[in-house]
Amino acid sequence: MVLIWQPFSKTFNELVLLFALFLDVVPLGEGKKQLPRSAGASETVETYNKYYNYVDLTNRLQSLAQSYSHIASLSSIGRSVEGRELWVMRISVEPDKDTPGKPKFKYVGNMHGDETVSRQVLVYLVEYLLTKYGEEARITELVSSTDIYIMPSMNPDGFEKSKEGDCDGDYGGRNNANNLDLNRSFPDQFDGTTVKPDDIPEVMAVIKWIKEEKFVLSGNLHGGTVVASYPFDDSVSHQRQGHYSQSEDDNLFRYLALVYSLNHPVMKTGQPNCPDTPEETFKDGITNGAHWYDVPGGMQDYNYLYGNCLEITMELSCCKHPPASELQKEWDLNRESLLAYMEKVHMGVRGFVKDAVSGAALSNVSIVVAGIRHNLTTAKFGDYYRLLLPGTYNITAVAPG
């Protein structure tokens, strides 16, 4: 990829020095090596044939964090309405500190409590990354070069209400314990804030998390069909269906959605064959969110517009809460897609922005790509990660003064 660096005219009086630093991948066997597991840590072999309730999930994540403490750190970003922790597993070399030049990636599952495949698949992904680090070159490189955050359940209260085998959500559990849909409760670009913050502690915790961490790329995992959906999720008219709501990064979002879809044996066919909507198809297994159906207050649009982060939504299964006997199959179907999508956090251009005189790192500097009217900003080390398709771009860093 050829990149042309062309600063704004000096009359703007807003120039800062831009250092484009392209980082070399450390080959396997050099640099960081796998450390021994923590002494006394017990580990349970995954069976892929049962759902974890809140207690089980907590125990499983704590056990993995203890066994792999050199690359895993478990924390809670907040609590649900009923007081359950919103667990996040952070996976990276030196997982308890931020490292300059390492982009942040996240997956969020089980946002709708009765859409349960994502909850289990993300636990399996955590285990896979931890156990394969130091053994498989691909996983070792991914963990070494990326700051990975995985939240298996954003709606643990809803999951406890959901029933195994309920494909349509008849038993409830979709909403939080205040009966609010978490994926309709984020500030919307057209409607603003429509829900009382005290009623959605899960959403408020995630908003705080997004603003603090400055994620680069994200996936929001759901259930109910099999498709990868990309922004925007709604439009100013809120037309129920059929309105393609295009973002400034539309081509990039389509590409990212295809990365997930084309690595999924069922999704890539574009024919989920869901019993409740047998006629519904998606070309190449992807769709613009609003064109599919209008979703105001969704999380993926919030990430893009207010969170410095590109996010798409992956719908993993026709049945929202399938029998546990289906979990092994779902993990096998999604594993390669999950990994391939994560790796895309490294595409495009990255670097650091520093003061021209002092050399100090500059945070919250706008990274402006000519022709794309959507700016990202630098993180606390002055680092930026601008995902872009291959091509030639004029890129400028702009800060007041």
Side-chain angles (χ1 to χ4, degrees), residues 85-343:
E85 303 288 352
L86 303 178
W87 294 119
V88 173
M89 186 73 86
R90 184 180 185 182
I91 301 174
S92 190
V93 176
E94 298 181 305
D96 292 314
K97 72 175 188 178
D98 292 337
T99 303
K102 187 179 288 188
K104 293 176 180 285
F105 178 94
K106 67 177 165 69
Y107 274 130
V108 175
N110 199 212
M111 185 182 197
H112 290 143
D114 62 343
E115 297 171 12
T116 59
V117 169
S118 63
R119 178 183 173 110
Q120 291 300 130
V121 162
L122 288 182
V123 175
Y124 304 155
L125 178 62
V126 166
E127 182 204 37
Y128 189 81
L129 293 173
L130 297 181
T131 58
K132 299 302 181 183
Y133 174 78
E135 296 181 4
E136 292 187 5
R138 181 189 189 187
I139 302 304
T140 302
E141 180 180 316
L142 182 62
V143 171
S144 298
S145 62
T146 317
D147 201 357
I148 302 165
Y149 296 73
I150 298 176
M151 176 189 284
S153 181
M154 185 179 166
N155 188 359
D157 297 350
F159 177 84
E160 297 298 317
K161 188 176 180 181
S162 182
K163 302 294 183 182
E164 183 176 341
D166 179 13
C167 290
D168 302 319
D170 295 333
Y171 287 89
R174 174 184 176 90
N175 297 344
N176 75 354
N178 286 328
N179 199 31
L180 289 168
D181 189 329
L182 301 182
N183 206 33
R184 304 295 187 277
S185 299
F186 281 79
D188 185 78
Q189 61 177 317
F190 304 114
D191 302 335
T193 302
T194 60
V195 184
K196 294 179 180 178
D198 289 347
D199 292 337
I200 47 169
E202 302 92 347
V203 169
M204 300 311 297
V206 168
I207 287 176
K208 182 174 181 288
W209 184 44
I210 290 170
K211 290 183 175 179
E212 287 177 349
E213 296 298 342
K214 282 212 167 181
F215 295 102
V216 177
L217 183 62
S218 174
N220 178 15
L221 279 57
H222 285 253
T225 188
V226 184
V227 68
S229 170
Y230 56 90
F232 285 127
D233 254 343
D234 71 343
S235 66
V236 66
S237 67
H238 291 307
Q239 180 178 317
R240 184 174 179 182
Q241 288 181 305
H243 181 96
Y244 195 110
S245 188
Q246 182 172 321
S247 75
E248 283 291 317
D249 284 286
D250 187 67
N251 289 335
L252 176 58
F253 273 124
R254 287 178 54 83
Y255 170 79
L256 291 169
L258 283 169
V259 167
Y260 199 93
S261 172
L262 296 182
N263 283 287
H264 190 293
V266 175
M267 193 180 292
K268 69 180 181 181
T269 69
Q271 299 178 326
N273 293 317
C274 295
D276 57 335
T277 53
E279 74 291 342
E280 189 171 58
T281 60
F282 305 96
K283 187 178 185 307
D284 297 321
I286 69 173
T287 184
N288 173 260
H291 189 264
W292 182 22
Y293 67 93
D294 194 80
V295 177
M299 184 165 69
Q300 75 173 6
D301 287 4
Y302 179 86
N303 271 274
Y304 180 63
L305 292 168
Y306 309 112
N308 217 59
C309 176
L310 278 72
E311 178 175 282
I312 68 169
T313 299
M314 300 84 159
E315 304 276 351
L316 303 187
S317 62
C318 291
C319 183
K320 293 185 175 183
H321 196 154
S325 58
E326 296 288 307
L327 292 174
Q328 175 74 69
K329 180 191 75 173
E330 293 297 339
W331 168 233
D332 292 340
L333 286 171
N334 285 281
R335 181 171 54 249
E336 178 56 32
S337 292
L338 290 165
L339 295 173
Y341 183 76
M342 292 172 72
E343 290 169 332

Side-chain angles (χ1 to χ4, degrees), residues 34-48 52 59-71 89 123-133 135:
Q34 185 176 15
L35 301 177
R37 298 175 189 172
S38 301
S42 61
E43 184 183 347
T44 303
V45 176
E46 187 57 67
T47 59
Y48 308 101
Y52 295 141
N59 290 339
R60 182 65 174 142
L61 293 177
Q62 288 177 340
S63 174
L64 287 168
Q66 182 183 11
S67 295
Y68 299 90
S69 59
H70 58 295
I71 54 169
M89 186 73 86
V123 175
Y124 304 155
L125 178 62
V126 166
E127 182 204 37
Y128 189 81
L129 293 173
L130 297 181
T131 58
K132 299 302 181 183
Y133 174 78
E135 296 181 4

Side-chain angles (χ1 to χ4, degrees), residues 52-60 119 160:
Y52 295 141
N53 62 24
Y54 174 70
V55 173
D56 294 335
L57 177 67
T58 299
N59 290 339
R60 182 65 174 142
R119 178 183 173 110
E160 297 298 317

